[in-house]
Structures are given as C-alpha cells and as structure tokens.
Amino acid sequence: MAIDKKQVEEIVRAVGGKENIEAATHCVTRLRFALYDESKVDTESLDQNDLVKGQFSSQGQFQVVIGPGLVDKVYDEMIQITGGDRSSKDDVKAVAGKKQNPIQRAIKTLSDIFIPILPAIITAGLLLGINNILTGPGIFFDGKSLVDVYPAWKDLASIINTIASTAFTFLPALIGWAAVKRFGGSPLLGIVLGLILVHPDLLSAYGYADAVNNGTVPTWNLFGWEIEKIGYQGQVLPVLVSAYLLAKMEIFLNKRVHDSIKLLVVAPVTLLITGFLAFTIIGPVTFAIANAITSGLIYVYDSYAALGGLIYGGLYALLVITGMHHTFLAVDVQLIGSQGGTFLWPMLALSNIAQGSAALAMMLVLREKKMRGLAATSSVSAFLGVTEPAIFGVNIRYRYPFIFGMVGSAIGGVLLTINNVQATSIGVGGVPGFLSIFPNKWGVFFIGMAIVLVVPFVLTVLFGRAKLRKEDRSASNETVNEPKAATSQSASGVTSSTAKTDPNQRTRSAAQVGDEAVNTLEIMAPLTGQAVSLEQVPDPAFAEKQMGEGVAIEPSGNLVVAPFDAQVAHVIKSKHAVILEHASGLQVLIHVGINTVSLKGEGFNMHVEAGEHVKAGQKLLEFDRKVIEDAGYPLITPIIIPDGQDMVERVEVTTGDVTSNQNGVLKVHLKG
C-alpha cells in the first residue's frame, strides 16, 4: 500500500517538528518517539490523520499507532523527511528514561521489580481466599467454620494454606530474584540472598515482637559485638537494599576479576560481604524504617480511618495515571507480611469498579458508535481489575466520568476503612477482588461494590445527558441565527467526524444497503490456551482496538501454527510477530507477547520466511516462555484483523479454551 508523503509530514509536524524529535524508532504496530517537549504535540492533528489509528504517552515515550506492515513504510518516509538517524528500541528507551525525574525513575524501578513476581502473589492470594472460605467461622455455619463442622476437610485446608503461604514465607527470595535482575546482577544470587534472609536458623520476623517482650531474642557475638539473629520474613526494604548492593558489587568484581578465577571469587565474595552487611547494618536499619512506616500507616488508619479512606480511595485513579500506584505494591506486601492483612488493596479493587462503572455509563451518553463500543468493552476490563483502557480510552478523554469515578471510589473507601475491611493478599482486583477480602467483611465489601457501581454510573449519565442537551440547545440557537451557514457547517462537521472516526463505516453501510453477498472465513486458533477479548491485553493499542478487531490468547504452550492456508506477507525482524495473507487478500497479524520487541529476537525461533506459502497447522514460530517471563513481559498473544481492509464486513470473536488448529477464534465476514 502506497502512503501519502504529506500525511507523514503532518505526523512530524504534529509531534512538534523534527527539532522536537530526540529519537524515533518503531515496532510492528507503532512509531515510538522520545520527544524533547511532549506539550508541543498536536493531538487533534494526529486524530485527523488517516494514517494514525491511535496515540498515547507511556514511560517517557510518545507512541503513534499506525498498524502492522504500514508502520515500516511510514517510519522510512519519516526518516527521509527529518534526515534523522535510525534508532533502536533501546536507544529510545534510554532517552525516554533520562527525561523521567528521580521519583518517576524510582517508581519505574519498583514496578520493574514487583510486576514480574505478581503472578506468584496473585496465585497465593487466590489460594488464601479458598483457605479463608474453608476455615473462616460464620460463613456457612453460626460461629463455626466449614472445617469445624466437617473435620475431614481440615487437612485439605491445611495443604492449601501451606501452598498459598509459601510465596509470602519466601517473599524475600522472590524480591531478591527480581531486584538483582533489575539492578543488573545474577538473578540466582538474588534468590540465594533472599533465602539467606529467611533461613530457618534465624528467629522469624513474625515472632520478633514476642521475643523482645520475653527477652529471648537470639544474638551472634562477633568479638563483643552483639547482633540480633533474626530473619526478615514478610519484609521488603531489607532485601531491596541488600539486592542493590549485591548487584553493584557483582558488576564491580566481574569487571576486575580475571575470567579464570571468577567462579571462585565473584559469587562467594559478593554473597559473603552482602550477607554480612545485611545482618549487621542494612537489615536492622531498614527493618526499623519499615516498621516505622507500617506503624505510621496503621496509626493514621486507626486514628483517621474515614479521612484515609476518602483520600486514598478517591485519589487512587490519579495514582494510576501518574504510575505511582506501583509504589503501593511494596506497601501492600509489607502490610501483609508484618500485619497479616492490608487495608489499601480493598480500596484499589473498588476504584477499579468505579472507573469501569463510569466508562459503562458513557455508553448511554455517547452518540458515536465506535466510542460507545470502546466504553462497553473497557468497562468490562476495569470490572476485572485492568483499568487502563477505561481510564485512558474513555474517562480521561471526557474528564467528568473520571471525576465521578473518583467520587464513588472515595465514598466506598470511607465505608471500607471505618469498617476495618482488609485483604489477605494482593493481585485480585475489580469484582473478583472479594476473594482476597477476609470473609467476615464480605458483606461490607459488597455494599461498597454497590456504591461504586451505582454512584459513578448515575452521576455520569445525568451530567453527560445534561451536557448534551446544553450543547444541542447551543447548536439550535446558532442554527436559528445563521440558518444556511450553520446547516452547511454542521453537515460538514458530521461527515468529517464520521469519516475520521471509522474509515470503514461508509463501506459497511453501503454493503448492508446493497445487500451484497458475504463469504465467511473462520480463523482457527494459532496457539493452544485460553482465548480472551482484546480488552484484557495490557497494552492500549491492542485493548482499545486502535489497530483493528481481533482476539487474544493466553498460551499454555510455546508453538504458533498457521490458522489457515496462507502466504507469509511479513516476518517481523525481532521474530515475535508475523503477518499472514489469505487467498482472499485478508491479512492477519499474530503478535506473541506484549513489548517483546525489546527482546530483539531472543527466545524466538521463526520457522518461515516472507513470501513462503504455508498450510493450516504448519509451524510458524516457537518461543521460549521462560525467557519472555523472566524479562517481565506478558505472554498474551493478540491475533488482529488490521483496519483498512475493504473486504471485511464484520468480525465475530469466540473466547474460551482453545487448541491450535482445532478451535475457531475469529469468524471474518467478507463482502462479495
């Protein structure tokens, strides 16, 4: 497909001109810019550009969604126009990272450490929820638990509790692995460091308070220096600081120790020095700091519960926008580890639902079909705990639904805090968040859920419709005053808006009116796993369907096969994505993982080349799950029908468990 050079020039002007571009690269779907000043971006001009499917800013990068295949040509044309140098993804990331202030960099560091270990914590939380149901008194029987009434279930509950509590018991090992890896050291040494801090020879941190009161705290005596012999179960700060020191020391020694003796020197010296400092200085100091922070939070919670709920519950959505919500992952983990529960996570779950409710209400307010669809789908995602599509795609764009979501969340936060609602674990947000709540507080939590469902929805609908009526009256008055000019302008505006919002809308309407025949192409699952809606993809370009309709698969294996007989139209250089073309001309994008372009092909093995003809079920590529997961990237794989294909009438999506080349996931209705 040929591109219009003027449209590319308009993109360059819209991002502030070539003088505002510090570095630029592209992936399979979008242009990625590191800009000197993002305030110079003309978002309205980008919205009106037919090449642009969407735009957003993330982690210091301004991203312009173009679509697969076409983005390569747009990037090449842009480089010719600007005369700039070609940059890699790492170049743009490095430049973007420098633009972040120290707080933003610290938040990103915490995010990079805690997000990779969230699956283990979420799993532990779900299992603890099951254990709570089995052992919680008063859920099924007055004053008694299920295991009290049916003792045969007791050992089953005990096994579940052992499995569930392991992630929290050995939390320093998980954090040590993720932190040392983030700081550039050997992850294996990070695991060993974490295990050292919870060694069974040490007094458990959970029993430290009682030991102090009883005067039975064990100590080491190093030539007269008494050191408390305690572990750091459930603690975050001691292992974070120790991991940073370990990684930097390992890097330092690796540069200076000869290769022939590295194995004998680097790891032993690094672990010995870091472990010694962890027990003598780092541990005691950070343990005291962590306890002071925890005590401070608990004091505020105990003394000013309603105010704390109002502020945190109301402002949590703002934290999501700034990215600061990742900071509180460490706080939640610290509270669970030291106190057995967190009062912050329940408010997060209600904030998810509140923003989803406000987005859902916009379905009854918005008139444009595409935005109404986005409002519906993004609200479902928010109800399941992923709020970014709802917040960035709908609520922030119109402002008032975002504000009303915060209002509902603030009211819900007050209710939760004054009733001492706490979660036993983190990771389960949105409506399923009740599983992480102590069962004796489910009733209050469900009332809070009702509040955040009703209040934002009602306020958004009432205000939104009132705003529309006001706009209609203003437009009507203008028409009365200037009938001819206003009518012409209005008609022109509607046509322009419709054409921009959905470039295929006129084609589809014509097909429906003309009653053209429609052929159907069923696309089989290219992977085995769980097929889910695009709204569950943690990337706005896919979740908001900026590139087109489709489905995503949470893979259970590591093999991608051809979903139909096709020609390989394009193989992405980093081997994580491929575009197939059907005999009808329909193209399909298969994109393994999110942000996996950053792996530069590591962990991927492509078995086909561009131009090659493949049969349904033929092996396309294999990927190493461990490499991708260790790098902290989601494995969820979008399968997209890119926008702009005139032969597409509509697309049907099927979700659920699928087996590669056996179950259909997309049904594409073709014109003609």
Side-chain angles (χ1 to χ4, degrees), residues 47-129:
D47 283 338
Q48 294 173 357
N49 193 311
D50 289 336
L51 286 176
V52 177
K53 302 291 192 301
Q55 54 181 292
F56 59 94
S57 180
S58 175
Q59 297 181 349
Q61 295 182 36
F62 188 80
Q63 303 185 27
V64 178
V65 180
I66 304 296
L70 193 60
V71 68
D72 304 53
K73 299 176 183 178
V74 172
Y75 180 73
D76 291 340
E77 187 67 45
M78 184 185 72
I79 292 298
Q80 291 185 16
I81 292 170
T82 61
D85 296 327
R86 292 177 178 271
S87 302
S88 69
K89 282 80 178 176
D90 289 339
D91 293 335
V92 174
K93 272 188 176 181
V95 173
K98 292 177 182 177
K99 296 180 182 300
Q100 296 178 318
N101 59 44
I103 294 177
Q104 289 173 320
R105 286 198 293 271
I107 291 170
K108 185 179 184 303
T109 298
L110 282 176
S111 171
D112 291 342
I113 291 170
F114 280 94
I115 287 180
I117 66 175
L118 268 184
I121 296 176
I122 292 173
T123 300
L126 288 170
L127 292 176
L128 282 174

Side-chain angles (χ1 to χ4, degrees), residues 564-593:
F564 49 77
D565 293 349
Q567 182 177 15
V568 180
H570 189 55
V571 172
I572 307 308
K573 186 177 180 181
S574 48
K575 303 177 183 177
H576 70 289
V578 62
I579 299 175
L580 301 178
E581 184 170 316
H582 186 258
S584 64
L586 178 77
Q587 290 194 341
V588 177
L589 165 68
I590 304 172
H591 190 291
V592 179

Side-chain angles (χ1 to χ4, degrees), residues 2 18 28 44 164 251 337 407 420 461 488 565 619 632:
K18 63 181 181 181
V28 66
E44 188 173 331
I251 293 170
V407 170
N420 192 29
V461 170
S488 173
D565 293 349
K619 185 188 300 183

Side-chain angles (χ1 to χ4, degrees), residues 613-661:
H613 289 273
V614 294
K615 293 290 186 180
Q618 182 176 332
K619 185 188 300 183
L620 297 178
L621 68 93
E622 292 177 283
F623 54 92
D624 190 323
R625 297 175 62 91
K626 188 175 186 303
V627 169
I628 299 172
E629 290 171 338
D630 287 352
Y633 299 121
L635 280 167
I636 190 168
T637 299
I639 296 95
I640 303 295
I641 310 297
D643 276 341
Q645 303 188 75
D646 292 336
M647 77 285 292
V648 177
E649 175 73 24
R650 60 189 173 89
V651 179
E652 294 180 18
V653 176
T654 301
T655 58
D657 292 331
V658 293
T659 301
S660 62
N661 202 38

